[in-house]
Amino acid sequence: DAGVIQSPRHEVTEMGQEVTLRCKPISGHNSLFWYRQTMMRGLELLIYFNNNVPIDDSGMPEDRFSAKMPNASFSTLKIQPSEPRDSAVYFCASSLAGLASDTQYFGPGTRLTVL
Amino acid sequence: DAKTTQPNSMESNEEEPVHLPCNHSTISGTDYIHWYRQLPSQGPEYVIHGLTSNVNNRMASLAIAEDRKSSTLILHRATLRDAAVYYCILRDRGRDDKIIFGKGTRLHILP
């Protein structure tokens, strides 16, 4: 199994540009999670989906952030317009059934730098 | 959400056992105790979880106090590759699948 796949691995962009991060969860997993990690705030949950439906987006920082999951094998996190304070590592994770006992499997992350 | 308290950092010598403590005095009866770790420049990875009884797997052991107000992650023979941030997390089995990460314990392994 390839695990959770994220692309790109690194993204450098200028303030004001649109950024799209992509995630392919593990096949057969029904829950998908987006996290952001910074030195100041640690690992934060942004949003998660169950069966392609957003369940909790209370962690999304503001309207500039949006996430979609058009099908079970693909999700995007979009930032428009991007700002320097969005610079962080963004992780995608998936789990089997959305239960508290389930293991979450994390991707390698996308390191975003907004200049 | 029930909170956990972990030391900010710990050191251990290579090839010796490591005991990573976690306090969770406000744990509820439906909370699982999970441990994840994050190696440098990688995403977090699952280590182990338990509810009431001690648990063993190929990576580690989890010792849970009888009153469940604390637990200890045990690495039986630490290697340099075990240097990571270790997160102790409570997850309520009666609720949804969210993981709320704290600051964790940064484990340094000395050669």
Side-chain angles (χ1 to χ4, degrees):
Chain A
D1 194 333
V4 175
I5 299 172
Q6 292 187 247
S7 65
R9 294 294 309 279
H10 302 272
E11 176 81 32
V12 180
T13 191
E14 293 189 345
M15 182 174 62
Q17 297 297 306
E18 176 179 297
V19 176
T20 299
L21 310 181
R22 297 172 175 81
C23 176
K24 177 178 168 54
I26 292 173
S27 177
H29 281 190
N30 294 320
S31 290
L32 183 140
F33 308 81
W34 283 101
Y35 292 85
R36 176 173 68 175
Q37 187 171 33
T38 61
M39 288 293 292
M40 290 294 294
R41 301 175 67 91
L43 267 165
E44 303 173 279
L45 177 65
L46 300 178
I47 185 171
Y48 80 95
F49 297 82
N50 187 260
N51 292 320
N52 311 337
V53 176
I55 302 300
D56 185 343
D57 65 354
S58 59
M60 295 286 262
E62 49 198 273
D63 291 346
R64 298 185 296 105
F65 285 69
S66 62
K68 293 183 180 179
M69 191 163 186
N71 57 62
S73 59
F74 183 66
S75 176
T76 59
L77 178 68
K78 185 177 293 186
I79 309 172
Q80 166 62 20
S82 58
E83 297 182 3
R85 60 193 168 119
D86 301 330
S87 297
V89 181
Y90 291 81
F91 291 103
C92 177
S94 70
S95 71
L96 188 60
L99 301 176
S101 57
D102 285 344
T103 297
Q104 287 192 14
Y105 295 86
F106 285 75
T110 295
R111 182 174 295 277
L112 173 65
T113 302
V114 183
L115 303 174
Chain B
D1 291 329
K3 296 193 182 301
T4 63
T5 304
Q6 299 178 253
N8 289 333
S9 66
M10 291 183 62
E11 273 186 0
S12 180
N13 294 319
E14 195 177 10
E15 299 188 5
E16 290 186 357
V18 181
H19 291 235
L20 295 162
C22 181
N23 288 320
H24 28 78
S25 58
T26 59
I27 191 170
S28 75
T30 55
D31 283 334
Y32 283 99
I33 302 162
H34 283 247
W35 284 81
Y36 281 72
R37 72 178 185 180
Q38 188 172 19
L39 302 172
S41 301
Q42 294 189 28
E45 65 175 350
Y46 169 81
V47 178
I48 200 167
H49 79 276
L51 187 62
T52 56
S53 303
N54 295 343
V55 184
N56 299 298
N57 67 21
R58 63 176 181 81
M59 288 181 71
S61 296
L62 177 59
I64 301 173
E66 199 169 326
D67 63 4
R68 300 211 322 130
K69 293 183 184 298
S70 65
S71 60
T72 302
L73 178 71
I74 303 166
L75 307 179
H76 294 287
R77 190 167 168 270
T79 70
L80 295 177
R81 288 176 296 177
D82 292 319
V85 178
Y86 287 78
Y87 297 97
C88 171
I89 300 154
L90 299 183
R91 298 178 66 187
D92 188 335
R93 68 178 175 178
R95 296 176 63 182
D96 52 39
D97 194 20
K98 290 198 297 189
I99 291 181
I100 308 298
F101 285 88
K103 296 189 184 304
T105 296
R106 183 172 296 277
L107 177 63
H108 302 272
I109 304 296
L110 306 175

